[in-house]
Amino acid sequence: NSTGLFQVDYAQPINNFGLVETGVKANIREYENALLVYDYDPVQFKFNPVSGMENSLSYDEKVYAAYVSFSKELNSLNFSLGLRTEYTDVRISDLIYNNTTVDEYTDFFPTANLGYTFKDESLLSLYYSRSISRPAVAQLNPFISFADERFIVMGNPLLKPYYTDYFVTEYFKKFGAKVSLNTALFASMDEDQILTVLENTGDQTDDGFDIYTRKPVNNGDLNQYGVEMDLVYNASNALRFRALLSPYYFEIINTTNGAYDTDDFVLYGNAIADYKF
């Protein structure tokens, strides 16, 4: 396995105009995995390879990206705009049967941020971004895991990345020198999410149980909408308390035949006490 990363960034302040930033990046991943399946011979007390079950996978991923962004402050108002483009070339090869799956695509990812600082130093901001989540190599690996005779675990070399549009509005305020509160309204929308599904193979075990495959597929959209409240209390220079509360609603929609469609409300929270020695 090998990885390579090349990156160059450049920032140029321009008087009375703003800050311009730009850069390029190349990320290369190469991965190989060989599969051999053995059957134990209790007579000869040894493992013998099972013919026809051997395989070898090669995964080659190249991502080339470039971005440009502009930001500026106008008294109490500040804003930034950015755009990143990525070209991706993924090649997954079965080295035994000489089969290669090629996936090439170009994407654009905008970002925007707008902030306003009030006279009491509280801050209101609006933010939007679009991002990509690529499948892991293990999710793309088509080879079978035999850990469970009823559920055959396998990857999917045809798996596509999924995209997220994220919106958030935040308000930050300090109450004296010890208390601060950050509140946010957010919406996150995943398109063609990666979902692990079960499929009946039509076969059965020796005990008469159905055998299923378990594999990841692009199936449905995941939407999340919620509120977040983050309260910090600095009791002293050494002791700090923090409490986070985030109720949100999520839904999974547009899955195949509605088989995995669902929705629910979630209440997430935590509390932390830090003491600095």
Side-chain angles (χ1 to χ4, degrees):
N1 304 339
S2 63
T3 60
L5 174 65
F6 173 80
Q7 182 172 339
V8 176
D9 297 287
Y10 178 74
Q12 176 63 55
I14 301 176
N15 292 336
N16 300 321
F17 182 71
L19 175 66
V20 176
E21 299 175 83
T22 186
V24 294
K25 180 179 180 180
N27 194 3
I28 299 173
R29 288 197 302 165
E30 295 180 350
Y31 170 87
E32 287 191 8
N33 182 52
L35 173 73
L36 291 174
V37 178
Y38 292 88
D39 187 24
Y40 181 68
D41 187 338
V43 177
Q44 299 183 5
F45 301 103
K46 67 175 184 179
F47 288 91
N48 298 316
V50 179
S51 177
M53 300 300 294
E54 68 279 353
N55 216 322
S56 181
L57 177 81
S58 171
Y59 177 82
D60 186 1
E61 177 189 86
K62 296 181 176 66
V63 181
Y64 305 102
Y67 78 92
V68 62
S69 68
F70 171 74
S71 59
K72 184 175 178 60
E73 292 186 10
L74 297 170
N75 298 322
S76 297
L77 184 70
N78 65 84
F79 70 91
S80 66
L81 298 171
L83 180 65
R84 187 178 84 257
T85 181
E86 291 186 358
Y87 167 74
T88 304
D89 183 351
V90 176
R91 298 173 186 269
I92 305 172
S93 301
D94 183 333
L95 302 180
I96 299 295
Y97 299 100
N98 296 320
N99 296 326
T100 300
T101 301
V102 179
D103 195 8
E104 296 179 83
Y105 49 91
T106 300
D107 293 305
F108 296 91
F109 303 99
T111 60
N113 185 73
L114 177 65
Y116 185 83
T117 303
F118 296 92
K119 292 182 179 180
D120 62 356
E121 296 186 348
S122 60
L123 175 65
L124 177 66
S125 64
L126 305 174
Y127 177 75
Y128 164 75
S129 71
R130 179 172 173 83
S131 61
I132 184 173
S133 299
R134 293 183 174 84
V137 174
Q139 293 175 306
L140 295 164
N141 194 332
F143 300 150
I144 295 173
S145 169
F146 296 95
D148 191 318
E149 64 176 0
R150 288 195 60 198
F151 298 98
I152 302 173
V153 181
M154 57 193 306
N156 181 5
L158 301 179
L159 207 57
K160 303 288 186 180
Y162 66 90
Y163 301 87
T164 301
D165 289 291
Y166 182 69
F167 302 84
V168 62
T169 299
E170 289 187 284
Y171 179 70
F172 175 81
K173 182 175 177 60
K174 283 188 173 181
F175 300 90
K178 293 187 175 184
V179 179
S180 64
L181 176 65
N182 190 74
T183 58
L185 296 173
F186 66 85
S188 176
M189 287 156 282
D190 295 344
E191 179 184 351
D192 285 336
Q193 66 162 345
I194 296 176
L195 186 68
T196 300
V197 301
L198 297 177
E199 295 180 357
N200 196 318
T201 65
D203 298 326
Q204 290 187 331
T205 65
D206 294 337
D207 299 329
F209 292 102
D210 290 339
I211 298 177
Y212 295 85
T213 59
R214 179 187 291 148
K215 69 177 182 179
V217 298
N218 294 101
N219 194 354
D221 304 324
L222 170 64
N223 300 322
Q224 300 176 83
Y225 313 95
V227 180
E228 183 174 286
M229 293 167 284
D230 190 359
L231 178 67
V232 177
Y233 172 54
N234 296 292
S236 66
N237 291 333
L239 183 61
R240 184 182 71 164
F241 297 97
R242 180 178 180 180
L244 175 69
L245 185 64
S246 179
Y248 66 92
Y249 167 79
F250 80 90
E251 61 177 3
I252 299 176
I253 58 176
N254 301 326
T255 61
T256 304
N257 298 323
Y260 293 89
D261 285 10
T262 186
D263 67 287
D264 206 347
F265 283 94
V266 177
L267 179 60
Y268 172 80
N270 63 44
I272 302 172
D274 291 326
Y275 186 83
K276 185 186 299 183
F277 292 93

